[in-house]
Amino acid sequence: MKENETADITEVAANREKTIVRTSIVGILTNVLLVAFKAAVGLASHSIAVILDAVNNLSDALSSVVTIIGAKLGAKLPDKKHPLGYGRIEYLSSMIVAALVLYAGITSLVESVKKIIHPEAADYSTVSLIIIAVAILVKLGLGLYVKKQGKKVHSGALEASGSDALFDAILSASVLVSAVVYLIWHISLEAYVGVVISGFIIKAGIEMLIETLNDIIGKREDAETTTALKQIVCEEEAVLGAYDVTLFNYGPNRNYGSVHIELADTLTVDEVDRITRRIQHNVFTKTGVILTGIGVYSFNTSNDEAAEIRNAIQRTVLSHDWALQMHGFYVDTEKKSIRFDVVISFDIDRKEALETLYREVGALYPDYELLIVPDVDITD
């Protein structure tokens, strides 16, 4: 890697952590202020909808606290017991918060139903309406700011928080609309709006719990992430293709991965070393993913016979619906050997699929020694 392309990965990671913490603190302070104002308005006007909206903001503040805790604990240096760090601690904290949000939603639902059975007239003032309207604008501004910072440092947690804040603005708007309806037509929608808000709080708690469990268990990476990573890898001029992207998550913003790249068979080891180091640097600075391994496939560049063999085998392999992709192909026409990888769908038994490929390709080139490596379909 050239000196002007070298970056201090530790410094980049530290800057990302500072941005996450700073943005989360802004979110906490903003939500705490909104909780105080909305709770005061709700109690003064006897509005269950406004009070529940305040509870929703309180859960957002707690989420930001968890984000900070996770960023701090996740930044703890790896040790002998935990060589890949402590990033997954935040998932445990997130489960606790999810349980609290779920409890708050259920409690809010119970209180809203009670208000439907035993209604209590709301009493809105001009000041309270102005506060709610200002809260909507504040939430919109906060949501846009947090999403922008999340995209800047590639933080999924911050982007999710930003989207949640924008959605909260919509919920607050529904509270304002119900207040206006009551003042103009004297129709109380308070308790019913409270039920709706409670439903969203419960839904958010369940989704948070499921998402955290999926992170702990391990889930399929989305196609957008893997496609973006491949595109970054293929920006390197010498790379002819990128395959087998595998990502391992060890906590929010702590992702490790590996990838196979296809390079011309004429490159030297020194050239390959420089290429892989540049790829590691570019992928980390643009996505935050640390590539711990880059495998190399050798590509025939000066053998017309090899190209013909490749095309014939590819047609045979991809004639099966369960064969999703063929790559890493290399043929040695002198030593009579062929090797390649095939991505196999979960819809077929891997042993059966491999036996089929060996039989069919072996029939095409009986004089060649075959090595077919089955790959798992782990990305969309």
Side-chain angles (χ1 to χ4, degrees):
M1 187 181 297
K2 297 179 182 178
E3 286 188 14
N4 59 357
E5 293 174 328
T6 303
D8 188 340
I9 291 180
T10 303
E11 183 180 348
V12 173
N15 289 334
R16 292 179 74 246
E17 179 198 338
K18 288 178 183 177
T19 301
I20 291 169
V21 172
R22 183 174 62 250
T23 305
S24 298
I25 289 175
V26 171
I28 291 171
L29 294 176
T30 303
N31 280 303
V32 167
L33 288 174
L34 289 174
V35 168
F37 281 118
K38 289 181 180 180
V41 170
L43 292 172
S45 61
H46 306 291
S47 170
I48 185 67
V50 176
I51 293 174
L52 295 185
D53 201 18
V55 172
N56 191 30
N57 289 148
L58 182 60
S59 70
D60 292 340
L62 287 174
S63 296
S64 296
V65 170
V66 170
T67 302
I68 291 177
I69 293 173
K72 289 297 182 182
L73 292 179
K76 188 177 177 181
L77 293 177
D79 53 34
K80 189 173 182 179
K81 254 189 171 181
H82 304 92
L84 292 175
Y86 292 78
R88 285 180 175 172
I89 287 178
E90 183 172 341
Y91 294 146
L92 301 178
S93 302
S94 295
M95 289 185 71
I96 295 173
V97 173
L100 291 174
V101 171
L102 201 55
Y103 174 77
I106 293 172
T107 303
S108 301
L109 181 61
V110 171
E111 292 301 317
S112 297
V113 172
K114 286 181 180 178
K115 286 287 185 179
I116 292 175
I117 299 173
H118 304 290
E120 183 177 344
D123 182 22
Y124 293 104
S125 65
T126 303
V127 174
S128 65
L129 294 178
I130 292 174
I131 290 176
I132 296 174
V134 170
I136 294 171
L137 296 177
V138 170
K139 267 295 185 178
L140 284 173
L142 178 65
L144 294 173
Y145 168 72
V146 173
K147 282 199 75 170
K148 181 180 178 181
Q149 294 301 310
K151 290 180 179 179
K152 179 181 176 182
V153 298
H154 307 287
S155 169
L158 286 183
E159 288 190 56
S161 295
S163 298
D164 187 47
L166 293 173
F167 186 70
D168 288 344
I170 297 174
L171 291 182
S172 296
S174 68
V175 174
L176 181 61
V177 170
S178 68
V180 172
V181 168
Y182 178 76
L183 290 175
I184 297 176
W185 292 288
H186 301 290
I187 299 174
S188 180
L189 301 175
E190 284 291 316
Y192 299 99
V193 172
V195 168
V196 173
I197 294 176
S198 299
F200 282 115
I201 296 175
I202 292 172
K203 180 174 178 288
I206 293 174
E207 288 177 347
M208 190 187 302
L209 191 61
I210 293 174
E211 183 68 20
T212 304
L213 286 172
N214 286 336
D215 285 327
I216 293 173
I217 295 171
K219 60 184 180 181
R220 176 187 289 273
E221 197 60 55
D222 64 277
E224 184 179 345
T225 300
T226 54
T227 299
L229 194 148
K230 287 179 181 178
Q231 287 176 344
I232 294 169
V233 172
C234 290
E235 286 174 1
E236 185 67 35
E237 187 177 351
V239 174
L240 304 175
Y243 312 97
D244 307 330
V245 174
T246 304
L247 298 177
F248 308 95
N249 180 262
Y250 283 88
N253 311 311
R254 189 177 290 274
N255 295 300
Y256 297 86
S258 63
V259 64
H260 276 94
I261 60 174
E262 207 162 38
L263 299 174
D265 55 2
T266 55
L267 295 176
T268 65
V269 174
D270 177 60
E271 290 172 324
V272 172
D273 179 59
R274 292 174 182 273
I275 291 167
T276 55
R277 289 178 186 273
R278 282 198 298 268
I279 290 172
Q280 287 176 315
H281 165 68
N282 291 336
V283 168
F284 179 78
T285 54
K286 294 179 180 180
T287 69
V289 174
I290 300 171
L291 288 180
T292 56
I294 300 179
V296 176
Y297 291 131
S298 181
F299 187 87
N300 298 100
T301 57
S302 57
N303 191 325
D304 294 336
E305 183 183 356
E308 293 176 4
I309 294 174
R310 177 192 180 102
N311 292 336
I313 291 178
Q314 190 169 45
R315 282 194 299 270
T316 300
V317 171
L318 297 184
S319 66
H320 300 286
D321 293 338
W322 42 262
L324 305 180
Q325 185 189 80
M326 188 187 90
H327 56 262
F329 183 92
Y330 191 83
V331 57
D332 188 328
T333 53
E334 291 185 4
K335 295 183 178 180
K336 298 293 183 180
S337 66
I338 297 172
R339 60 181 184 265
F340 59 90
D341 291 13
V342 178
V343 179
I344 297 175
S345 167
F346 287 108
D347 298 332
I348 187 173
D349 179 75
R350 291 167 62 77
K351 184 179 179 181
E352 178 188 341
L354 205 55
E355 288 176 350
T356 301
L357 293 177
Y358 269 108
R359 184 176 62 254
E360 294 180 355
V361 176
L364 288 176
Y365 299 98
D367 297 332
Y368 280 78
E369 179 184 351
L370 296 178
L371 175 59
I372 305 175
V373 179
D375 282 345
V376 180
D377 177 26
I378 59 175
T379 58
D380 285 333

